[in-house]
Amino acid sequence: MASSGSPSGLRTGLAGLTTRGRSFLAAGVTAILCALLLSQDALLRVGVLLMALPLAAALLLLRTRYRVASGRRLSPHRATAGQEARVHLRVDNVSRVPTGLLQLEDKVPYVLGPRPRFVLDRIEPHGHREVSYRVRSDLRGQYPLGPLQLRLSDPFGMCELTRAFAAADVLTVVPRVQALPEVRLRGEWSGQGESHTRTLALAGDDDVILREYRHGDDLRRVHWKSTARYGELMVRREEQPQKARATVLLDTREIGHRGTGPASSFEWAVSCAASVGVHLMERGYEVRLLTDTGQSVPGPDGGVNSVAEASGMLLDALALVDLSEGGALSRGEEALRIAGEGLLVAVLGTLDEGQTARLARLRRRTGTAVAFLIDTETWAGLRMLAPGTGGGEYRARIRQLREAGWTVLPARAGDSVPDLWRAADRAGSAPTAHREEADA
C-alpha cells in the first residue's frame, strides 16, 4: 500500500492525526503566535518543533510503502445457532521491508459480539502473523465478516491511518438439528424405510426390462430371446435405484405462531423441519422443503449430487426463512398437489377449520402424512403445559386430521422433537379411536 505526497494525500494525513497529534499541532501554532507577539526566538523554535513532529509523522505514514496481504478462514463455515465459530486471520508481509506496528480490526455484526482488535508487532520481510477470534449467535441468518481494516500508526502515536481490504466472508448460522430415532410409520414409510431404494429389474427372465441397443453397450447384456422376437438388438436395462421422496412443509405464517426470538414457536418449527429433513436425507430420501408461500428447496432443476450437499442446501434455506405475512396455506397446498405422491411431513402452526379441511384432503394424494401440530397458545403462556390441556379448537383440529389418515403429533412448548418423532411410531400403529381417547 503506497501513498503519494499530493494535496489530497496531505489532507488524508492531517485527517488521520490523533488527539495527541492535534494537541501538538495546536500547541505549536500557539507557541509560534506568542513568539511573534513577544519577539521570543527561543519560543519560536519550540513552536516550530511542536508543529513539525505531527506533520512529519503524517508524512512518514503517507510515504510508507507496505505491501500486506490478508486471508480469513472460518471454522466451521456453517455454524449451528448457539454454537461458537472461530475466525482465523492471517496477515502476510509480501514486501522486502519490515512493517511497523500494525493494528487489525475485523468488521463483525453486533449480533456476533464486539469487534475484535489486535496489535501486531513488526513483521519481517515475507513473514506472516496469525490471530483468531470467536463469534457466536443464537439467531439464525447469514452474517458478513469483514472487510479487515489495517491501522498504521507512527512510533509516537501522532497519526493513525486506516486501510481496508476488499475481501469479506459470510458466516451462515443454521437452526439446531437434533438427532431423531429410527421409527417405522404406516404406509409408504414402513414399505421403504428399511430398504431405501427400489430396483426396476425383476428376477424372472420374462419380466426383465429391456431397451434398444445403443452404441457402447456391453454385449454381455444383450437379451437374445427378445432380439430374435423383435428383429433388432435388445439389451437388459440396468438396475436403476429409485429414491423414496419426501416433502417437509413448514408453516411460516406470522398469524400461526406465538412468541419472539429463539424461544418462539416459529423457531421451534424451523428446528423441527431441519431435524426431520436431515434425518430423512440420511435414510436415503430425496427431500424437498416447502413453505406456505410456495418456496421450494431444492428448486425445479435440482442438481443435488450428495446427501451432504442436499443437507447444506436445506439448512442454508432454513437459516434465512422468515415469517410470512400471508394468512393461508394455499400456495404450499398447490405445490403439494403438483408434486404428487410421497411422504409428507408438515410442521404447522395455528389452523382454522377451512385450512385443516384442505390439508386433510391432501392426505389422499400421499402415501404417509405426519403433522407436527403446534399448540401455539402454550408458547404465549395462555395455556398449561400439561398434555391433554389443549383447547377445544385445538383438539378438534387434531381429530379432523387424524380422521383423514394423518399421523398427528401435538407439539407444546418444551416438547422435544426426538420424543415426538419416537411417539409417531406408536401413533401410526394405534387405532384412530384409541388415539383420540389418549388426547381427550
Side-chain angles (χ1 to χ4, degrees), residues 375 383-391 394-395 410 412 437-440:
D375 188 358
R383 189 176 297 155
M384 295 176 59
L385 301 182
T389 58
Y394 181 72
R395 292 197 299 270
R412 301 175 176 85
E437 292 174 1
D439 283 315

Side-chain angles (χ1 to χ4, degrees), residues 348-359:
L348 305 169
T350 302
L351 301 175
D352 58 29
E353 185 176 358
Q355 292 165 348
T356 309
R358 288 191 293 272
L359 285 172

